[in-house]
Amino acid sequence: MKKTAMLACALPLLAPLALADNLGFDGKIVEPDCDAMGAWFNCRKIGTAPADVRRGYEYIHHTSKTLGPDGNKKYPDGTPYSTTTIACSSCHFTGGHVPFGTPMYQSPAKYAGLPYFRPLNYRRDLEDSILDCFRNCMNADRTPTKTDPVMRDMVAYIRWLSDGVTDPNMQGPGWINLPGNGLPVVDPDVANMSGDPLAGRGLFNAECATCHSKDGPGRGEYRRGENRPRVPALWGKDGYSRGAAFYNSQNLAGYIKEHMPLGDPLTLSAQDALDMAVYINDQPRPAGMADQMFCHTETDGIPGPLRKPASWLVGCTYPSEPFTDQDILYGPGAPSAAWRNAEINRLKGLN
Ligand code: HEC
Ligand code: HEC
Protein backbone atom coordinates (compact mmCIF):
# COMPACT_ATOMS: atom_id res chain seq x y z
CA MET A 1 0.00 0.00 0.00
CA LYS A 2 2.76 2.34 0.98
CA LYS A 3 4.76 1.62 -2.18
CA THR A 4 1.75 2.29 -4.39
CA ALA A 5 1.09 5.57 -2.68
CA MET A 6 4.70 6.68 -3.13
CA LEU A 7 4.68 5.79 -6.79
CA ALA A 8 1.40 7.52 -7.40
CA CYS A 9 3.04 10.58 -5.92
CA ALA A 10 6.18 10.37 -8.01
CA LEU A 11 4.35 9.58 -11.25
CA PRO A 12 1.10 11.51 -11.06
CA LEU A 13 0.36 11.28 -14.79
CA LEU A 14 0.44 7.51 -15.01
CA ALA A 15 -2.94 5.92 -14.92
CA PRO A 16 -2.24 2.20 -14.25
CA LEU A 17 -2.64 1.29 -10.61
CA ALA A 18 -0.28 -0.83 -8.54
CA LEU A 19 2.69 -0.23 -10.87
CA ALA A 20 5.10 -1.53 -8.28
CA ASP A 21 3.40 -4.91 -8.19
CA ASN A 22 3.99 -5.61 -11.88
CA LEU A 23 7.64 -6.21 -11.28
CA GLY A 24 7.77 -6.62 -7.55
CA PHE A 25 10.29 -3.82 -7.89
CA ASP A 26 9.68 -0.18 -7.11
CA GLY A 27 12.08 1.59 -9.42
CA LYS A 28 15.33 1.35 -7.47
CA ILE A 29 18.60 2.20 -9.16
CA VAL A 30 22.26 1.39 -8.53
CA GLU A 31 23.64 4.18 -6.35
CA PRO A 32 27.15 5.14 -5.23
CA ASP A 33 28.31 4.35 -1.70
CA CYS A 34 29.35 7.92 -0.96
CA ASP A 35 30.75 7.09 2.51
CA ALA A 36 33.06 4.43 1.07
CA MET A 37 34.24 6.88 -1.62
CA GLY A 38 34.59 9.74 0.86
CA ALA A 39 38.40 9.70 1.01
CA TRP A 40 38.74 10.76 -2.61
CA PHE A 41 35.32 11.80 -3.91
CA ASN A 42 32.71 14.29 -2.76
CA CYS A 43 29.19 13.28 -3.87
CA ARG A 44 27.48 16.64 -4.21
CA LYS A 45 23.74 17.08 -4.71
CA ILE A 46 22.88 17.81 -8.30
CA GLY A 47 20.32 20.39 -7.15
CA THR A 48 23.13 22.71 -6.08
CA ALA A 49 24.87 22.61 -9.50
CA PRO A 50 24.64 25.31 -12.22
CA ALA A 51 21.74 25.10 -14.70
CA ASP A 52 23.73 23.65 -17.63
CA VAL A 53 25.07 20.89 -15.37
CA ARG A 54 21.58 20.08 -14.14
CA ARG A 55 20.33 19.88 -17.72
CA GLY A 56 23.24 17.59 -18.63
CA TYR A 57 22.32 15.34 -15.72
CA GLU A 58 18.70 15.22 -16.91
CA TYR A 59 19.85 14.08 -20.37
CA ILE A 60 22.17 11.43 -18.94
CA HIS A 61 19.98 10.16 -16.10
CA HIS A 62 16.43 10.85 -17.25
CA THR A 63 17.26 10.08 -20.86
CA SER A 64 13.84 8.66 -21.75
CA LYS A 65 11.96 11.72 -20.56
CA THR A 66 14.33 14.13 -22.27
CA LEU A 67 16.16 12.62 -25.28
CA GLY A 68 14.22 9.37 -25.74
CA PRO A 69 11.62 8.57 -28.40
CA ASP A 70 8.86 10.07 -26.23
CA GLY A 71 11.10 12.75 -24.79
CA ASN A 72 10.62 16.50 -24.60
CA LYS A 73 13.96 17.54 -26.14
CA LYS A 74 14.25 17.04 -29.91
CA TYR A 75 16.50 18.17 -32.75
CA PRO A 76 15.08 21.30 -34.42
CA ASP A 77 13.42 19.14 -37.11
CA GLY A 78 11.58 17.09 -34.48
CA THR A 79 13.67 13.88 -34.56
CA PRO A 80 14.56 12.48 -31.14
CA TYR A 81 18.19 12.47 -29.98
CA SER A 82 17.86 8.85 -28.88
CA THR A 83 15.68 6.22 -30.50
CA THR A 84 16.11 3.57 -27.80
CA THR A 85 14.31 3.48 -24.48
CA ILE A 86 17.40 2.95 -22.32
CA ALA A 87 19.09 5.75 -20.41
CA CYS A 88 22.78 6.61 -20.40
CA SER A 89 22.64 5.88 -16.69
CA SER A 90 21.15 2.41 -17.27
CA CYS A 91 24.85 1.58 -17.71
CA HIS A 92 26.63 4.66 -16.28
CA PHE A 93 24.95 4.13 -12.93
CA THR A 94 23.63 7.28 -11.23
CA GLY A 95 24.99 9.34 -14.08
CA GLY A 96 28.53 7.97 -13.79
CA HIS A 97 29.00 8.22 -10.01
CA VAL A 98 29.39 4.51 -9.23
CA PRO A 99 32.83 2.85 -9.06
CA PHE A 100 32.94 -0.08 -11.54
CA GLY A 101 29.55 1.05 -12.86
CA THR A 102 31.16 2.64 -15.96
CA PRO A 103 31.85 5.86 -14.03
CA MET A 104 32.61 9.15 -15.78
CA TYR A 105 34.46 11.04 -13.04
CA GLN A 106 37.76 10.08 -14.75
CA SER A 107 36.69 10.93 -18.27
CA PRO A 108 37.69 14.61 -18.76
CA ALA A 109 41.25 14.00 -17.59
CA LYS A 110 41.49 10.70 -19.46
CA TYR A 111 40.46 12.10 -22.84
CA ALA A 112 42.72 15.09 -22.39
CA GLY A 113 45.58 12.56 -22.28
CA LEU A 114 44.69 9.60 -24.49
CA PRO A 115 46.54 9.57 -27.82
CA TYR A 116 43.92 7.57 -29.73
CA PHE A 117 41.24 4.98 -29.40
CA ARG A 118 42.45 1.64 -30.73
CA PRO A 119 39.21 0.12 -32.15
CA LEU A 120 38.52 3.13 -34.38
CA ASN A 121 41.98 4.60 -34.74
CA TYR A 122 41.25 8.24 -34.28
CA ARG A 123 42.26 10.75 -31.69
CA ARG A 124 39.26 11.22 -29.44
CA ASP A 125 38.20 13.89 -27.04
CA LEU A 126 35.44 13.72 -24.44
CA GLU A 127 32.81 14.74 -26.99
CA ASP A 128 33.91 11.95 -29.35
CA SER A 129 33.58 9.38 -26.59
CA ILE A 130 30.01 10.58 -25.98
CA LEU A 131 29.28 10.38 -29.71
CA ASP A 132 30.64 6.84 -29.90
CA CYS A 133 28.36 5.87 -27.03
CA PHE A 134 25.38 7.46 -28.82
CA ARG A 135 26.17 5.22 -31.80
CA ASN A 136 27.24 2.03 -30.06
CA CYS A 137 25.28 2.05 -26.81
CA MET A 138 22.14 3.90 -27.90
CA ASN A 139 22.14 2.78 -31.57
CA ALA A 140 21.68 6.33 -32.83
CA ASP A 141 21.87 6.87 -36.61
CA ARG A 142 22.18 10.56 -36.05
CA THR A 143 24.41 12.23 -33.46
CA PRO A 144 24.57 15.77 -32.12
CA THR A 145 27.36 18.08 -33.23
CA LYS A 146 30.02 18.95 -30.70
CA THR A 147 28.45 22.37 -30.24
CA ASP A 148 24.87 21.12 -29.92
CA PRO A 149 23.31 22.42 -26.68
CA VAL A 150 22.62 18.85 -25.51
CA MET A 151 26.26 17.91 -26.06
CA ARG A 152 27.49 21.06 -24.26
CA ASP A 153 25.28 20.37 -21.26
CA MET A 154 26.35 16.72 -21.07
CA VAL A 155 29.99 17.77 -21.13
CA ALA A 156 29.32 20.41 -18.45
CA TYR A 157 27.75 17.70 -16.28
CA ILE A 158 30.65 15.24 -16.77
CA ARG A 159 33.16 18.00 -15.93
CA TRP A 160 31.19 18.88 -12.81
CA LEU A 161 31.20 15.20 -11.86
CA SER A 162 34.97 15.00 -12.23
CA ASP A 163 35.33 18.13 -10.08
CA GLY A 164 34.03 15.91 -7.26
CA VAL A 165 37.41 14.16 -7.11
CA THR A 166 39.06 15.61 -3.99
CA ASP A 167 42.35 13.68 -3.77
CA PRO A 168 45.02 15.90 -5.44
CA ASN A 169 46.95 12.79 -6.52
CA MET A 170 43.98 11.75 -8.61
CA GLN A 171 43.48 15.02 -10.44
CA GLY A 172 44.34 15.33 -14.15
CA PRO A 173 45.21 15.94 -16.86
CA GLY A 174 46.11 12.57 -18.37
CA TRP A 175 45.38 8.98 -17.59
CA ILE A 176 44.88 8.59 -13.86
CA ASN A 177 43.58 5.27 -12.71
CA LEU A 178 40.84 6.43 -10.39
CA PRO A 179 39.19 3.89 -8.08
CA GLY A 180 36.46 1.93 -9.85
CA ASN A 181 37.48 3.15 -13.31
CA GLY A 182 37.47 0.62 -16.13
CA LEU A 183 35.31 -2.45 -16.31
CA PRO A 184 35.37 -4.92 -13.42
CA VAL A 185 37.25 -8.18 -14.00
CA VAL A 186 34.93 -11.13 -13.42
CA ASP A 187 37.73 -13.54 -12.50
CA PRO A 188 41.54 -13.25 -12.64
CA ASP A 189 41.55 -16.39 -14.81
CA VAL A 190 38.73 -15.32 -17.14
CA ALA A 191 40.95 -15.70 -20.22
CA ASN A 192 40.95 -19.46 -19.62
CA MET A 193 37.22 -19.74 -18.96
CA SER A 194 34.44 -20.34 -21.44
CA GLY A 195 30.77 -19.42 -21.19
CA ASP A 196 27.89 -21.80 -21.86
CA PRO A 197 24.92 -20.01 -23.42
CA LEU A 198 22.46 -22.81 -22.59
CA ALA A 199 23.38 -22.77 -18.92
CA GLY A 200 23.24 -18.97 -19.19
CA ARG A 201 19.68 -19.05 -20.49
CA GLY A 202 18.52 -21.11 -17.51
CA LEU A 203 20.29 -18.81 -15.09
CA PHE A 204 18.98 -15.68 -16.79
CA ASN A 205 15.42 -16.96 -16.63
CA ALA A 206 15.82 -17.81 -12.96
CA GLU A 207 17.78 -14.75 -11.78
CA CYS A 208 17.05 -11.88 -14.14
CA ALA A 209 13.93 -12.42 -16.20
CA THR A 210 11.54 -11.23 -13.48
CA CYS A 211 12.86 -7.75 -14.16
CA HIS A 212 14.55 -7.78 -17.56
CA SER A 213 12.04 -9.82 -19.55
CA LYS A 214 8.76 -8.56 -18.30
CA ASP A 215 7.60 -7.21 -21.66
CA GLY A 216 9.35 -9.78 -23.85
CA PRO A 217 12.83 -11.24 -23.96
CA GLY A 218 15.43 -8.69 -22.99
CA ARG A 219 12.96 -5.91 -23.48
CA GLY A 220 12.86 -4.78 -19.91
CA GLU A 221 10.13 -2.63 -18.52
CA TYR A 222 9.42 0.78 -19.97
CA ARG A 223 6.35 2.90 -20.00
CA ARG A 224 5.70 6.08 -21.89
CA GLY A 225 6.06 9.16 -19.77
CA GLU A 226 8.50 7.74 -17.26
CA ASN A 227 11.74 9.58 -16.63
CA ARG A 228 13.83 6.55 -17.43
CA PRO A 229 13.24 2.85 -17.95
CA ARG A 230 12.69 1.05 -14.69
CA VAL A 231 14.61 -1.87 -16.15
CA PRO A 232 16.76 -1.45 -19.26
CA ALA A 233 16.58 -3.67 -22.34
CA LEU A 234 19.55 -6.00 -22.76
CA TRP A 235 19.02 -6.96 -26.41
CA GLY A 236 16.85 -6.32 -29.44
CA LYS A 237 16.58 -2.93 -31.07
CA ASP A 238 16.62 -1.14 -27.70
CA GLY A 239 19.65 -3.03 -26.40
CA TYR A 240 23.28 -2.03 -26.87
CA SER A 241 24.93 -2.83 -30.21
CA ARG A 242 27.74 -5.19 -31.22
CA GLY A 243 30.06 -2.20 -31.14
CA ALA A 244 29.45 -1.66 -27.42
CA ALA A 245 32.01 -2.69 -24.83
CA PHE A 246 29.33 -4.92 -23.24
CA TYR A 247 29.26 -7.08 -26.36
CA ASN A 248 32.62 -8.35 -25.10
CA SER A 249 31.26 -11.04 -22.75
CA GLN A 250 34.22 -10.84 -20.39
CA ASN A 251 33.38 -7.18 -19.77
CA LEU A 252 29.67 -7.85 -19.43
CA ALA A 253 30.27 -10.74 -17.02
CA GLY A 254 32.36 -8.51 -14.76
CA TYR A 255 29.66 -5.86 -14.76
CA ILE A 256 26.89 -8.38 -14.04
CA LYS A 257 28.78 -9.94 -11.16
CA GLU A 258 29.57 -6.53 -9.69
CA HIS A 259 26.02 -5.11 -9.85
CA MET A 260 23.33 -7.70 -10.63
CA PRO A 261 20.83 -8.98 -9.68
CA LEU A 262 19.86 -5.46 -8.64
CA GLY A 263 19.97 -5.30 -4.85
CA ASP A 264 22.14 -8.45 -4.55
CA PRO A 265 25.51 -7.44 -6.01
CA LEU A 266 28.52 -9.77 -5.82
CA THR A 267 26.43 -12.87 -5.17
CA LEU A 268 26.95 -14.66 -8.50
CA SER A 269 29.88 -16.93 -9.24
CA ALA A 270 32.21 -15.84 -12.04
CA GLN A 271 31.14 -18.86 -14.10
CA ASP A 272 27.43 -18.07 -13.72
CA ALA A 273 28.02 -14.42 -14.64
CA LEU A 274 30.01 -15.48 -17.72
CA ASP A 275 27.36 -18.01 -18.80
CA MET A 276 24.69 -15.31 -18.59
CA ALA A 277 26.87 -12.76 -20.40
CA VAL A 278 27.44 -15.19 -23.26
CA TYR A 279 23.70 -15.96 -23.43
CA ILE A 280 22.80 -12.24 -23.44
CA ASN A 281 25.38 -11.51 -26.15
CA ASP A 282 24.04 -14.40 -28.26
CA GLN A 283 20.75 -12.55 -28.68
CA PRO A 284 20.02 -10.33 -31.70
CA ARG A 285 21.18 -6.73 -31.48
CA PRO A 286 22.03 -3.87 -33.86
CA ALA A 287 25.50 -3.54 -35.41
CA GLY A 288 26.29 0.02 -34.30
CA MET A 289 29.84 0.83 -35.43
CA ALA A 290 30.94 -2.81 -35.01
CA ASP A 291 31.77 -3.40 -38.66
CA GLN A 292 34.22 -0.47 -38.83
CA MET A 293 36.17 -1.35 -35.74
CA PHE A 294 39.72 -2.78 -35.63
CA CYS A 295 39.87 -2.60 -39.44
CA HIS A 296 42.82 -0.21 -39.85
CA THR A 297 46.56 -0.83 -39.84
CA GLU A 298 48.14 0.91 -36.90
CA THR A 299 51.06 3.33 -37.11
CA ASP A 300 53.50 0.57 -36.14
CA GLY A 301 52.32 -1.48 -39.16
CA ILE A 302 50.29 -3.97 -37.12
CA PRO A 303 46.82 -4.74 -38.53
CA GLY A 304 44.02 -3.76 -36.13
CA PRO A 305 42.36 -7.22 -36.11
CA LEU A 306 45.37 -8.57 -34.22
CA ARG A 307 44.70 -6.13 -31.40
CA LYS A 308 41.07 -6.97 -30.71
CA PRO A 309 40.19 -8.05 -27.19
CA ALA A 310 39.99 -11.85 -27.34
CA SER A 311 36.27 -12.16 -26.55
CA TRP A 312 34.90 -9.26 -28.63
CA LEU A 313 33.46 -10.51 -31.94
CA VAL A 314 33.72 -7.22 -33.73
CA GLY A 315 35.18 -5.63 -36.86
CA CYS A 316 37.58 -7.10 -39.40
CA THR A 317 39.16 -10.54 -39.13
CA TYR A 318 42.83 -11.26 -39.77
CA PRO A 319 42.91 -13.52 -42.86
CA SER A 320 44.78 -16.52 -41.46
CA GLU A 321 43.27 -16.48 -37.99
CA PRO A 322 42.17 -20.03 -37.15
CA PHE A 323 39.34 -19.23 -34.73
CA THR A 324 35.60 -19.46 -35.37
CA ASP A 325 33.01 -16.92 -34.30
CA GLN A 326 31.92 -19.37 -31.61
CA ASP A 327 35.48 -19.64 -30.24
CA ILE A 328 35.50 -15.86 -29.84
CA LEU A 329 31.95 -15.54 -28.50
CA TYR A 330 32.10 -18.33 -25.94
CA GLY A 331 35.81 -18.47 -25.09
CA PRO A 332 38.23 -19.31 -23.73
CA GLY A 333 39.97 -16.21 -25.01
CA ALA A 334 43.53 -17.21 -24.12
CA PRO A 335 44.26 -19.28 -27.29
CA SER A 336 43.22 -16.52 -29.72
CA ALA A 337 45.02 -13.87 -27.63
CA ALA A 338 48.20 -15.99 -27.68
CA TRP A 339 47.87 -16.62 -31.43
CA ARG A 340 47.39 -12.92 -32.17
CA ASN A 341 50.34 -11.94 -29.97
CA ALA A 342 52.57 -14.48 -31.71
CA GLU A 343 51.50 -13.07 -35.07
CA ILE A 344 52.25 -9.51 -33.89
CA ASN A 345 55.71 -10.65 -32.78
CA ARG A 346 56.25 -12.43 -36.11
CA LEU A 347 55.32 -9.27 -38.04
CA LYS A 348 57.65 -7.23 -35.87
CA GLY A 349 60.40 -9.75 -36.58
CA LEU A 350 60.65 -10.73 -32.94
CA ASN A 351 60.45 -14.49 -33.47
C1 HEC B 1 15.19 -6.38 -9.32
C2 HEC B 1 15.22 -6.16 -10.75
C3 HEC B 1 16.46 -6.65 -11.50
C4 HEC B 1 16.99 -7.91 -11.51
C5 HEC B 1 16.50 -9.16 -10.77
C6 HEC B 1 18.13 -7.84 -12.41
N1 HEC B 1 18.28 -6.59 -12.92
FE1 HEC B 1 19.70 -5.96 -14.22
N2 HEC B 1 19.07 -4.06 -14.03
C7 HEC B 1 17.96 -3.67 -13.30
C8 HEC B 1 17.88 -2.20 -13.31
C9 HEC B 1 16.80 -1.38 -12.66
C10 HEC B 1 18.98 -1.76 -14.05
C11 HEC B 1 19.36 -0.30 -14.29
C12 HEC B 1 19.87 0.24 -12.97
C13 HEC B 1 20.00 1.74 -12.91
O1 HEC B 1 19.45 2.41 -13.77
O2 HEC B 1 20.66 2.23 -11.96
C14 HEC B 1 19.68 -2.95 -14.51
C15 HEC B 1 20.82 -2.90 -15.31
C16 HEC B 1 21.42 -4.03 -15.87
C17 HEC B 1 22.47 -4.01 -16.83
C18 HEC B 1 23.12 -2.78 -17.44
C19 HEC B 1 22.19 -2.08 -18.37
C20 HEC B 1 22.29 -2.42 -19.83
O3 HEC B 1 21.47 -1.89 -20.61
O4 HEC B 1 23.17 -3.20 -20.25
C21 HEC B 1 22.78 -5.31 -17.12
C22 HEC B 1 23.80 -5.81 -18.10
C23 HEC B 1 21.91 -6.14 -16.31
N3 HEC B 1 21.10 -5.34 -15.56
C24 HEC B 1 21.93 -7.53 -16.31
C25 HEC B 1 21.24 -8.31 -15.38
C26 HEC B 1 21.42 -9.73 -15.19
C27 HEC B 1 22.34 -10.60 -16.02
C28 HEC B 1 20.60 -10.11 -14.16
C29 HEC B 1 20.46 -11.47 -13.54
C30 HEC B 1 21.66 -11.95 -12.87
C31 HEC B 1 19.89 -8.93 -13.72
N4 HEC B 1 20.31 -7.86 -14.46
C32 HEC B 1 18.93 -8.93 -12.72
C33 HEC B 1 17.07 -4.48 -12.65
C34 HEC B 1 17.28 -5.82 -12.38
C1 HEC C 1 24.54 -0.18 -22.83
C2 HEC C 1 25.29 0.53 -21.84
C3 HEC C 1 25.64 1.97 -22.10
C4 HEC C 1 24.80 3.03 -22.42
C5 HEC C 1 23.32 2.99 -22.61
C6 HEC C 1 25.65 4.20 -22.55
N1 HEC C 1 26.95 3.87 -22.31
FE1 HEC C 1 28.54 5.13 -22.36
N2 HEC C 1 29.80 3.55 -22.09
C7 HEC C 1 29.42 2.25 -21.82
C8 HEC C 1 30.60 1.43 -21.65
C9 HEC C 1 30.59 -0.06 -21.29
C10 HEC C 1 31.72 2.28 -21.85
C11 HEC C 1 33.19 1.91 -21.81
C12 HEC C 1 33.71 2.08 -20.41
C13 HEC C 1 35.15 1.63 -20.26
O1 HEC C 1 35.76 1.17 -21.24
O2 HEC C 1 35.64 1.74 -19.14
C14 HEC C 1 31.18 3.61 -22.13
C15 HEC C 1 31.94 4.76 -22.33
C16 HEC C 1 31.46 6.06 -22.29
C17 HEC C 1 32.26 7.25 -22.15
C18 HEC C 1 33.77 7.25 -22.02
C19 HEC C 1 34.11 6.99 -20.57
C20 HEC C 1 35.59 6.84 -20.34
O3 HEC C 1 36.08 7.43 -19.34
O4 HEC C 1 36.26 6.18 -21.13
C21 HEC C 1 31.41 8.33 -22.10
C22 HEC C 1 31.80 9.78 -21.90
C23 HEC C 1 30.07 7.80 -22.25
N3 HEC C 1 30.13 6.43 -22.35
C24 HEC C 1 28.92 8.58 -22.27
C25 HEC C 1 27.64 8.06 -22.50
C26 HEC C 1 26.46 8.87 -22.74
C27 HEC C 1 26.43 10.39 -22.71
C28 HEC C 1 25.43 8.00 -22.96
C29 HEC C 1 23.99 8.33 -23.32
C30 HEC C 1 23.81 9.16 -24.49
C31 HEC C 1 25.95 6.65 -22.82
N4 HEC C 1 27.29 6.72 -22.57
C32 HEC C 1 25.19 5.48 -22.90
C33 HEC C 1 28.12 1.79 -21.71
C34 HEC C 1 26.99 2.52 -22.02
Side-chain angles (χ1 to χ4, degrees):
M1 195 57 219
K2 197 173 159 223
K3 265 187 192 166
T4 314
M6 276 171 60
L7 265 167
C9 226
L11 307 164
L13 299 176
L14 286 177
L17 293 172
L19 277 180
D21 294 343
N22 287 346
L23 282 174
F25 160 63
D26 59 8
K28 283 201 290 276
I29 57 169
V30 180
E31 288 183 88
D33 180 345
C34 291
D35 291 339
M37 297 164 73
W40 59 275
F41 191 82
N42 175 14
C43 298
R44 292 145 304 153
K45 294 264 178 265
I46 188 71
T48 63
D52 57 344
V53 170
R54 278 185 276 128
R55 285 194 304 268
Y57 174 78
E58 285 294 304
Y59 300 141
I60 286 177
H61 191 61
H62 295 140
T63 312
S64 320
K65 183 183 135 196
T66 54
L67 308 184
D70 303 315
N72 57 19
K73 180 80 186 172
K74 302 272 198 299
Y75 286 114
D77 69 2
T79 356
Y81 280 82
S82 164
T83 50
T84 68
T85 58
I86 52 176
C88 308
S89 66
S90 297
C91 305
H92 298 279
F93 291 137
T94 324
H97 271 87
V98 176
F100 290 126
T102 45
M104 300 198 283
Y105 40 69
Q106 77 290 350
S107 303
K110 176 176 165 184
Y111 287 97
L114 269 188
Y116 73 101
F117 179 50
R118 185 152 267 167
L120 289 157
N121 199 34
Y122 70 93
R123 199 190 161 86
R124 304 206 301 170
D125 55 20
L126 181 58
E127 285 86 348
D128 289 312
S129 72
I130 294 173
L131 293 176
D132 287 348
C133 236
F134 260 100
R135 286 183 282 240
N136 277 327
C137 310
M138 313 291 279
N139 305 321
D141 293 332
R142 174 174 177 184
T143 50
T145 62
K146 291 189 181 181
T147 53
D148 186 290
V150 165
M151 172 62 85
R152 284 209 199 121
D153 292 344
M154 283 181 159
V155 167
Y157 165 73
I158 296 172
R159 292 193 186 288
W160 173 85
L161 183 68
S162 81
D163 288 343
V165 176
T166 51
D167 182 336
N169 298 317
M170 297 178 186
Q171 283 158 348
W175 174 271
I176 296 152
N177 207 5
L178 286 164
N181 176 25
L183 291 153
V185 176
V186 68
D187 187 287
D189 196 35
V190 65
N192 292 306
M193 294 168 67
S194 59
D196 174 352
L198 268 180
R201 183 172 67 186
L203 287 161
F204 183 88
N205 288 335
E207 304 270 353
C208 327
T210 41
C211 293
H212 282 283
S213 297
K214 193 69 183 176
D215 290 349
R219 171 66 178 77
E221 177 81 357
Y222 173 75
R223 289 187 174 79
R224 278 178 79 95
E226 290 197 344
N227 287 333
R228 58 198 308 278
R230 265 178 283 168
V231 182
L234 300 181
W235 64 79
K237 74 169 182 45
D238 283 332
Y240 56 86
S241 80
R242 288 190 288 112
F246 282 174
Y247 187 59
N248 177 344
S249 295
Q250 290 184 9
N251 288 342
L252 183 64
Y255 196 78
I256 289 171
K257 184 170 172 235
E258 186 82 20
H259 300 291
M260 292 289 138
L262 188 79
D264 284 314
L266 294 165
T267 53
L268 297 164
S269 71
Q271 186 63 56
D272 287 357
L274 188 61
D275 290 347
M276 284 190 266
V278 162
Y279 167 68
I280 291 168
N281 278 336
D282 244 2
Q283 307 310 311
R285 57 184 70 259
M289 301 170 83
D291 297 336
Q292 306 156 49
M293 294 165 76
F294 296 103
C295 291
H296 53 279
T297 294
E298 298 198 352
T299 43
D300 60 0
I302 302 299
L306 292 176
R307 292 216 161 110
K308 291 192 285 192
S311 54
W312 199 357
L313 184 65
V314 74
C316 297
T317 304
Y318 192 69
S320 58
E321 182 166 316
F323 297 95
T324 65
D325 287 0
Q326 285 211 339
D327 293 337
I328 308 286
L329 272 176
Y330 303 154
S336 62
W339 188 90
R340 289 171 186 173
N341 280 337
E343 190 62 10
I344 290 174
N345 287 341
R346 193 187 65 79
L347 293 174
K348 285 182 169 170
L350 292 177
N351 58 3

